[in-house]
Amino acid sequence: QVQLVESGGGSVQAGGSLRLSCAASGYTYSFSCMGWFRQAPGKEREGVARIYTAGSTTAYADSVKGRFTISQGNAKNTLYLQMNSLKPEDTAMYYCAADRWCPGAVADFGYRGQGTQVTVSS
């Protein structure tokens, strides 16, 4: 059974940084895409970033471009999200997601973790 486990969330002041990690296990094949999406209370899910694992091509939401960086770890199917210059509007539950076939939205990927909370205070 595939399992994705996030870590690294927490509370930080505006302008600060956090690094989220995601470890995937229990699979017998490689994911073609991995990514992060977030959801704040009362708001819809928002895709934050994705990476195509074969060539490391990345894509970001406009709201985080220039501030967040998605990357793969040296270990197979590990994922990171470096978040700099955090803003209060970045406050949300952040989820790691993965898929073999790269559907349109990160939030629609076939596998996701339980989430890690990020809270940014002004």
Side-chain angles (χ1 to χ4, degrees):
Q1 185 173 354
V2 173
Q3 186 175 22
L4 302 177
V5 179
E6 303 97 336
S7 61
S11 297
V12 65
Q13 289 191 327
S17 298
L18 285 172
R19 188 191 195 207
L20 306 183
S21 300
C22 173
S25 62
Y27 57 92
T28 60
Y29 45 80
S30 294
F31 297 119
S32 297
C33 292
M34 298 186 76
W36 296 90
F37 70 94
R38 65 188 181 186
Q39 188 165 25
K43 295 188 177 181
E44 296 191 356
R45 297 175 301 180
E46 177 189 20
V48 173
R50 72 165 63 197
I51 186 165
Y52 295 85
T53 58
S56 297
T57 301
T58 58
Y60 297 92
D62 288 343
S63 58
V64 306
K65 278 181 183 176
R67 301 188 297 121
F68 290 11
T69 302
I70 188 171
S71 62
Q72 300 178 84
N74 291 329
K76 190 177 182 181
N77 283 350
T78 57
L79 189 70
Y80 302 103
L81 185 69
Q82 178 66 44
M83 305 186 295
N84 298 329
S85 302
L86 282 161
K87 304 176 181 179
E89 50 263 44
D90 295 318
T91 295
M93 186 72 78
Y94 283 71
Y95 298 87
C96 173
D99 200 283
R100 295 184 66 189
W101 310 114
C102 304
V106 177
D108 293 332
F109 284 9
Y111 302 99
R112 66 185 65 175
Q114 293 298 308
T116 186
Q117 178 67 37
V118 171
T119 302
V120 185
S121 58
S122 58

